[in-house]
Amino acid sequence: MKHVQIASDHERTHVLVFDTGEEAVAGLLQFARDRRIASAHLSAIGAFSAATLGFFDWSRKDYRRIRVDEQVEVLSLAGNLARDADDQVKLHAHVVVGKSDGTAHGGHLLDAHVRPTLEVVVTEAPAPLRRRVRPDLGVALLDLS
């Protein structure tokens, strides 16, 4: 993955370019850990050779895994990075991918292998954000308190 910082006032903005074969979720998390990013928002376009999407199953309070085992275009990827109660950075991102027949599939991004590229813009937030587990919902949400 290549990287360049393109802004540096109160918000630092980075552009990441992933190469073929790189795993997108692991790469984004490693980037955030290496730069000690406390919180950020991101968007991306590109393509994957395969991906696992998730659909939150309310009754199970867990993600149902949706495997996409073919070349797809990343039509939209949006999300954020925030620290959890253990100070570990977490990615929350949703993605819409398009297949060769024009159909689209979307969900929570669980994992994805890049092919040929993924171009990501990460903008750090000026204040840190935290995720807290909501036992009543079964998920960790941004805690603004």
Side-chain angles (χ1 to χ4, degrees):
M1 163 183 29
K2 297 169 209 61
H3 157 261
V4 64
Q5 183 176 318
I6 61 173
S8 64
D9 290 343
H10 296 290
E11 293 182 339
R12 292 188 300 175
T13 300
H14 309 268
V15 176
L16 290 66
V17 178
F18 285 78
D19 291 320
T20 297
E22 292 186 288
E23 203 289 312
V25 173
L28 286 165
L29 291 171
Q30 189 62 52
F31 173 80
R33 283 191 296 271
D34 290 350
R35 283 152 189 83
R36 298 184 188 341
I37 293 175
S39 56
H41 61 91
L42 58 94
S43 63
I45 57 171
F48 298 143
S49 61
T52 304
L53 312 179
F55 180 83
F56 189 72
D57 184 330
W58 179 254
S59 63
R60 290 184 12 209
K61 304 288 192 272
D62 197 10
Y63 287 97
R64 195 165 23 118
R65 298 172 75 79
I66 304 162
R67 189 74 187 148
V68 179
D69 279 318
E70 63 186 87
Q71 183 71 29
V72 291
E73 292 286 327
V74 176
L75 305 176
S76 178
L77 191 158
N80 61 54
L81 294 160
R83 302 263 172 186
D84 66 9
D86 296 325
D87 206 35
Q88 299 300 308
V89 67
K90 299 295 180 184
L91 172 66
H92 183 199
H94 290 194
V95 64
V96 178
V97 296
K99 293 184 173 184
S100 63
D101 66 0
T103 60
H105 295 266
H108 184 87
L109 180 63
L110 300 177
D111 67 65
H113 287 86
V114 173
R115 186 173 65 196
T117 191
L118 184 68
E119 301 166 343
V120 185
V121 177
V122 177
T123 303
E124 291 183 62
L129 295 173
R130 292 276 183 189
R131 289 199 171 279
R132 303 261 186 252
V133 174
R134 289 270 311 267
D136 59 323
L137 301 176
V139 294
L141 301 178
L142 289 177
D143 180 6
L144 301 180
S145 59

